Amino acid sequence: MKINFKHTLAFIITFAALPAFAQKDPENIGTEVVNVVKPYTPTISDAFKVKETPSLDDEETLKKETITYNIFSFPVASTFTPAKGKAVGVDKEEQEHIYKNYATLGFGTYAAVNAELFITENLSDTDYVGGMLRHQSSQGNIKGVELDDKFYDTSLDLTYGSRTPGFSWTADLGYQNQVYNWYGLEEGVLTETQIDAIDPAHTFHNFYIGARLNSKDGFFSEASIKYNRFWDALGSAENRFYVKPKFSFDIMDTKVNTDFVVDYVGGTFEKDYYRIDTIDTNYVGLTSLEYSYVNFGVQPSILYQKDDLSVNLGAGIFYSSGKQNGRTDGKLFIYPAIKASYKVVGDLMIFYAGAEGGLRQNSYRDFTNENPFLSPTLIVAPTDNQYDIYAGLKGKLANNVSYNIRGGYNSEKSKPLFTANAYDAANTNTEGYAYTNSFQVVYDDVKTLSFFGELKADFSKSVTFGINGTFNSYKTSIYDEAWNLPGIELGSSLDVAITKKWFAGANVFFVGERKDVFASDLSVQTLDSYFDANLNVGYKYNERLTAFLKANNIANQAYEKWINYPVQQFQLMLGASYKFDF
């Protein structure tokens, strides 16, 4: 590098003179007047970007050298072996085939037979047809019974249906034949000769045809229509017809429902029992009994829902026109139809309450379904259920345990009660029901205070349990007792899937004391409470075939459900069920 000598010499002289100026005495500086012409205004000169490309002063500029290289690939030994992943095992159950049809057949003590056959078949993607044949019978032989006590119950039900996304309907047709015997005789009243002359058998026949419709579109919601023809072997006959359409639509966020009903029942009994009837003495001694009632009803309601509150407000308006042995009567009825529920703690606790009522149409067939030992000499009339006021709590104690408790007060006018027919040795009626062995229907105004409790638990997929109880207190207006109505009813059930092949179940029930009368002197009698326990065990041989063993009334009690009518004691039934497809 070249060094400028002149510049270096000037630099040295300048630094050498600096100490001389610094050593001047500050007291002898003197004064000087400075006139400022204008304030000092600093400026910045314009900057210009140097556009020249600097030149390299190196003696030699290096040139890039071309490099050629190759990659040699060769294996490298490794001792590391990664562990292979293993999927968690899942038990995959084989999908059980659902068969469309099944047949059941069982035989038991008292020469009992229980048979069922159910068949269904799809005719197309929307239409199907089905049928059910049932038979249940027993040859009786109940201990201590002097009359024939066998019974038969056979029924056939057919259905044709169609299902589409917006509309579905079914048409039903059926027939039922029942054979019973009035076998319950009061002890010490009849002679052996009289008993031998009794023919206790009686037969019921029932034919019905009906249809049900459901719609998901429009204001029409659903409807049911049915005609029922019921008759017996002693000249009694009854016709029942009803149609019940329902309409539903929304106004804003409120649902409006309207139920309509037209319900007709009419029939005749060939003769009267020649009894003194508390309802109306004009019925006594008639050669036949006739009745007909038609009830018209409309029940509009509004459903309001907000958050955890649900309220259904409505009312029922009914008009009944009736004819009983030539007398015609018509009356208007108005009933409450109010229901409400509130989720106090989600699904864990739900409070509900209501006040409801209605006009209930009674019929000869409904009565015999509850008590088949009635005499065909009845008075049939509707029941005015004025109001049923109730309140309760329901919900869950845990995910698999649910409960329901409820208290209510119910008022019914002309409530039907079953009680024994009076026996008169001078009675000219010699039918098989006129010997202390049949029941009549009487009507009373009954007020009922009731409490109900229920608990259900699913301990696992294999074990389910349930228990319930009802406690009733009755107040009557005409009679001293609410005939044959128990004050206490308890029930419990248990179902267990022991293995994939074995399963078992049990159900028990308890019915408290009831009141009735002896036919001979009409003295009030108390029917003992009774306890009944039933067990069943099943073995699933394969998907199609299952065998079962049932034991009923295992406590071997000869209790009386109705006065003078002991039931069959310990019973066994062995049978099998077979599933199949065509």
Side-chain angles (χ1 to χ4, degrees):
M1 182 180 293
K2 296 179 180 180
I3 300 175
N4 193 320
F5 180 77
K6 293 181 180 181
H7 291 172
T8 302
L9 180 61
F11 182 80
I12 294 172
I13 294 173
T14 302
F15 270 89
L18 285 177
F21 290 105
Q23 297 296 324
K24 187 176 180 177
D25 187 0
E27 295 180 357
N28 299 320
I29 292 176
T31 62
E32 184 177 356
V33 178
V34 178
N35 294 322
V36 178
V37 177
K38 69 174 182 177
Y40 173 71
T41 303
T43 59
I44 297 176
S45 301
D46 293 335
F48 297 96
K49 182 178 180 180
V50 178
K51 298 182 180 180
E52 296 181 5
T53 301
S55 59
L56 295 176
D57 294 335
D58 294 351
E59 295 289 340
E60 184 179 2
T61 300
L62 297 177
K63 297 181 179 180
K64 292 182 179 182
E65 183 178 355
T66 302
I67 299 175
T68 303
Y69 56 90
N70 296 319
I71 297 176
F72 298 96
S73 177
F74 60 90
V76 178
S78 175
T79 59
F80 173 73
T81 303
K84 295 181 179 180
K86 184 178 181 180
V88 177
V90 178
D91 296 332
K92 184 178 180 181
E93 295 184 359
E94 185 178 354
Q95 184 70 30
E96 184 177 359
H97 178 73
I98 300 176
Y99 292 92
K100 296 180 180 180
N101 317 299
Y102 75 87
T104 299
L105 182 62
F107 299 94
T109 54
Y110 297 94
V113 178
N114 188 3
E116 289 186 6
L117 175 63
F118 176 78
I119 296 175
T120 183
E121 188 66 28
N122 293 326
L123 303 178
S124 66
D125 293 339
T126 59
D127 294 3
Y128 62 94
V129 63
M132 169 71 83
L133 176 64
R134 296 186 181 96
H135 174 81
Q136 186 177 9
S137 63
S138 172
Q139 299 307 309
N141 299 319
I142 298 174
K143 185 179 179 180
V145 172
E146 299 185 73
L147 298 177
D148 191 358
D149 58 344
K150 65 176 179 289
F151 74 89
Y152 299 88
D153 188 348
T154 305
S155 63
L156 174 64
D157 300 282
L158 303 174
T159 185
Y160 186 98
S162 178
R163 292 187 296 259
T164 60
F167 187 78
S168 63
W169 62 270
T170 58
D172 303 309
L173 179 70
Y175 170 76
Q176 183 179 24
N177 173 257
Q178 298 169 290
V179 178
Y180 289 93
N181 284 272
W182 289 291
Y183 66 84
L185 297 177
E186 186 178 327
E187 293 183 2
V189 176
L190 304 175
T191 65
E192 289 297 327
T193 302
Q194 288 176 310
I195 294 174
D196 292 340
I198 297 174
D199 180 9
H202 64 296
T203 305
F204 299 127
H205 303 269
N206 184 70
F207 167 81
Y208 74 89
I209 183 171
R212 295 185 300 272
L213 302 90
N214 290 275
S215 176
K216 296 182 180 179
D217 302 324
F219 65 93
F220 171 74
S221 178
E222 61 184 63
S224 60
I225 182 172
K226 187 176 184 180
Y227 168 74
N228 209 92
R229 171 73 175 180
F230 183 70
W231 70 100
D232 61 26
L234 296 176
S236 309
E238 178 183 75
N239 295 306
R240 176 86 181 271
F241 172 81
Y242 67 77
V243 55
K244 299 178 180 179
K246 180 177 180 179
F247 300 89
S248 178
F249 56 92
D250 294 331
I251 298 179
M252 303 292 288
D253 294 332
T254 303
K255 180 175 289 294
V256 179
N257 297 315
T258 305
D259 296 333
F260 294 90
V261 59
V262 178
D263 193 342
Y264 166 82
V265 65
T268 60
F269 296 106
E270 193 171 76
K271 63 176 65 176
D272 188 14
Y273 190 82
Y274 300 105
R275 65 180 183 270
I276 299 175
D277 198 303
T278 310
I279 298 296
D280 195 329
T281 56
N282 291 328
Y283 294 152
V284 177
L286 296 173
T287 57
S288 64
L289 297 173
E290 298 180 355
Y291 60 93
S292 65
Y293 290 90
V294 57
N295 299 335
F296 302 91
V298 56
Q299 191 169 359
S301 63
I302 298 175
L303 178 61
Y304 172 79
Q305 291 178 315
K306 184 177 181 181
D307 299 331
D308 295 330
L309 178 64
S310 176
V311 180
N312 191 27
L313 298 175
I317 303 173
F318 287 81
Y319 179 79
S320 178
S321 176
K323 184 178 181 181
Q324 189 75 246
N325 295 313
R327 297 187 313 165
T328 303
D329 188 20
K331 192 173 181 180
L332 182 68
F333 302 88
I334 299 177
Y335 300 104
I338 303 172
K339 294 184 292 184
S341 65
Y342 180 74
K343 294 183 178 181
V344 181
V345 187
D347 292 333
L348 300 179
M349 181 182 293
I350 301 174
F351 172 78
Y352 64 93
E356 300 180 78
L359 187 64
R360 185 169 65 249
Q361 188 79 285
N362 296 313
S363 68
Y364 182 30
R365 170 171 166 75
D366 291 341
F367 289 154
T368 57
N369 283 339
E370 188 172 354
N371 183 349
F373 308 111
L374 295 171
S375 64
T377 57
L378 306 178
I379 296 174
V380 178
T383 296
D384 174 17
N385 191 178
Q386 295 179 305
Y387 54 83
D388 181 11
I389 302 173
Y390 58 88
L393 288 173
K394 62 181 179 180
K396 295 182 178 180
L397 298 177
N399 288 334
N400 57 348
V401 180
S402 62
Y403 68 92
N404 185 12
I405 55 175
R406 164 178 166 160
Y409 186 74
N410 193 13
S411 177
E412 298 170 279
K413 297 188 69 175
S414 297
K415 178 180 177 65
L417 304 172
F418 302 124
T419 185
N421 272 318
Y423 173 70
D424 184 359
N427 194 349
T428 59
N429 191 340
T430 59
E431 298 289 354
Y433 56 80
Y435 297 91
T436 73
N437 57 342
S438 65
F439 297 85
Q440 62 174 312
V441 175
V442 297
Y443 295 85
D444 200 349
D445 298 341
V446 181
K447 291 180 171 58
T448 306
L449 178 65
S450 64
F451 296 94
F452 169 80
E454 182 181 42
L455 188 67
K456 293 182 178 179
D458 296 329
F459 296 111
S460 66
K461 292 182 179 179
S462 303
V463 182
T464 60
F465 172 77
I467 186 171
N468 63 80
T470 303
F471 304 88
N472 295 317
S473 176
Y474 306 101
K475 182 180 179 181
T476 57
S477 299
I478 300 175
Y479 298 98
D480 294 332
E481 303 290 344
W483 306 119
N484 282 293
L485 294 182
I488 301 176
E489 293 181 276
L490 304 175
S492 180
S493 64
L494 175 67
D495 293 295
V496 181
I498 303 171
T499 65
K500 291 183 178 181
K501 295 287 187 179
W502 289 93
F503 60 90
N507 68 82
V508 298
F509 57 89
F510 172 84
V511 177
E513 295 180 344
R514 291 93 58 222
K515 300 290 186 179
D516 207 333
V517 298
F518 273 151
S520 57
D521 58 7
L522 299 183
S523 60
V524 177
Q525 302 295 315
T526 299
L527 278 71
D528 293 335
S529 58
Y530 60 88
F531 169 83
D532 199 335
N534 309 284
L535 298 174
N536 68 84
V537 178
Y539 176 74
K540 186 177 179 181
Y541 180 75
N542 54 34
E543 284 187 345
R544 294 177 178 269
L545 183 62
T546 301
F548 62 85
L549 176 65
K550 296 181 179 180
N552 296 328
N553 195 4
I554 61 176
N556 199 34
Q557 296 188 66
Y559 61 83
E560 295 180 353
K561 182 177 180 180
W562 308 102
I563 193 168
N564 299 323
Y565 275 86
V567 301
Q568 295 176 346
Q569 293 176 256
F570 180 72
Q571 307 150 49
L572 278 177
M573 177 168 284
L574 178 65
S577 179
Y578 183 75
K579 302 175 184 178
F580 60 96
D581 287 331
F582 290 117

